[in-house]
Amino acid sequence: ALGVLTRMREAAVGPDVYTYSTLITACVRAGQPDAAKRVYAEMRADGINANAITLTAMIPIYAKAGDWETALQTFEALSALTHSTAGQQVADVTSLGAVVSALAVNGQLQRAEALIEASEMNLVPLAEGGGAP
């Protein structure tokens, strides 16, 4: 992933949030959480703001590392994003499930329950067919 960023920069092509999100997601799917964290750190260093895809991909990385606090902060950042036209929250059941799992496996059951209750009214439902919107 970092090689792709290097080649893009050498070709004078600046990566955008979609490039970073794609690379982070690829790292997660390849089972390389440390690489995903490095790409995310580069994205932030480049001044690129994360989008919903980026933040959702990062939640389970923090969860698996036992860093439920950062997983929760990431979910809160995700929840703060809004669709520019619809004004709806972009947090969906997938991202909620990821952070609830992070809290639960790290012994934060009361926080997980409270988050579920607080989030029920602000979630974007899954699209038909079970995929994220």
Side-chain angles (χ1 to χ4, degrees):
L2 295 175
V4 171
L5 293 174
T6 301
R7 287 190 295 277
M8 288 181 73
R9 289 185 179 117
E10 288 171 354
V13 176
D16 61 10
V17 68
Y18 302 105
T19 304
Y20 281 111
S21 295
T22 300
L23 293 172
I24 290 168
T25 301
C27 291
V28 170
R29 289 184 180 159
Q32 299 178 350
D34 291 336
K37 286 181 182 180
R38 285 192 302 272
V39 172
Y40 186 61
E42 283 211 26
M43 183 183 92
R44 294 185 62 164
D46 285 348
I48 306 289
N49 292 324
N51 65 13
I53 294 167
T54 311
L55 295 173
T56 300
M58 293 305 296
I59 291 171
I61 291 170
Y62 298 129
K64 289 177 185 173
D67 189 357
W68 65 266
E69 291 163 321
T70 304
L72 183 57
Q73 290 170 352
T74 303
F75 179 79
E76 289 168 351
L78 175 63
S79 296
L81 293 175
T82 57
H83 292 292
S84 59
T85 55
Q88 293 180 314
Q89 297 292 336
V90 297
D92 63 13
V93 294
T94 302
S95 55
L96 177 63
V99 77
V100 166
S101 176
L103 292 168
V105 300
N106 289 288
Q108 301 294 318
L109 297 177
Q110 289 180 331
R111 288 180 193 265
E113 289 175 8
L115 183 61
I116 291 169
E117 290 173 11
S119 297
E120 284 179 340
M121 300 306 293
N122 294 321
L123 296 177
V124 175
L126 288 175
E128 288 211 19

